[in-house]
Every structure is written in structure tokens, then in C-alpha cells.
Amino acid sequence: SYFGRSEVTSNAWIEPQLIHLDFHAKNIFLRDDLTVSEIIDCESARFGNVEEDLMRTKLALFDDDRAAQ
């Protein structure tokens, strides 16, 4: 299958999950008790590696070198 093991991923296989790819504070709505009520702007959402989503969020929000570019 598409997500089956391959030579490249055989040592690092991670099961694909639904990822957002544009995850930041402006795309999250919270209730008064600070629990998530909605996540919006899902045009880029797809199945993939959760670490990719976290990495993109980190680079977009916390990496000063990339933010300056």
C-alpha cells in the first residue's frame, strides 16, 4: 500500500494521521474553559506524519531566523 513500509522508512515507520499543516493560534477557537471548540482553515489538511505538522508550526511561530526572512 501507499503507506506500507519501504527501504527508506523501514527504521522509522510512523502510522499516518490527519495533519493540519497550518496550525497556529489564529486557526484555533477556544471555549471559556480554554478547551478547543473548533480548528479552522483546513484546506491543507491531509494524512501524513504528525512530526511534520509540529515542525511546520515550530518554524512558523518560534524560529526567529526564518521569521526574519
Side-chain angles (χ1 to χ4, degrees):
S1 78
Y2 178 78
F3 294 113
R5 288 181 179 247
S6 72
E7 290 180 28
V8 175
T9 62
S10 63
N11 292 326
W13 174 250
I14 298 172
E15 187 168 335
Q17 309 238 346
L18 183 61
I19 59 177
H20 189 272
L21 294 178
D22 191 21
F23 197 69
H24 55 78
K26 291 182 179 180
N27 288 336
I28 304 168
F29 288 86
L30 302 176
R31 296 182 184 95
D32 291 336
D33 65 359
L34 300 181
T35 58
V36 175
S37 64
E38 295 178 56
I39 299 175
I40 63 168
D41 193 15
C42 298
E43 291 89 24
S44 299
R46 63 179 174 86
F47 282 94
N49 188 325
V50 175
E51 284 80 4
E52 177 185 2
D53 214 3
L54 295 173
M55 182 236 10
R56 288 174 60 93
T57 299
K58 183 225 178 260
L59 288 174
L61 300 178
F62 304 111
D63 191 329
D64 292 336
D65 292 336
R66 284 189 58 96
Q69 294 178 1

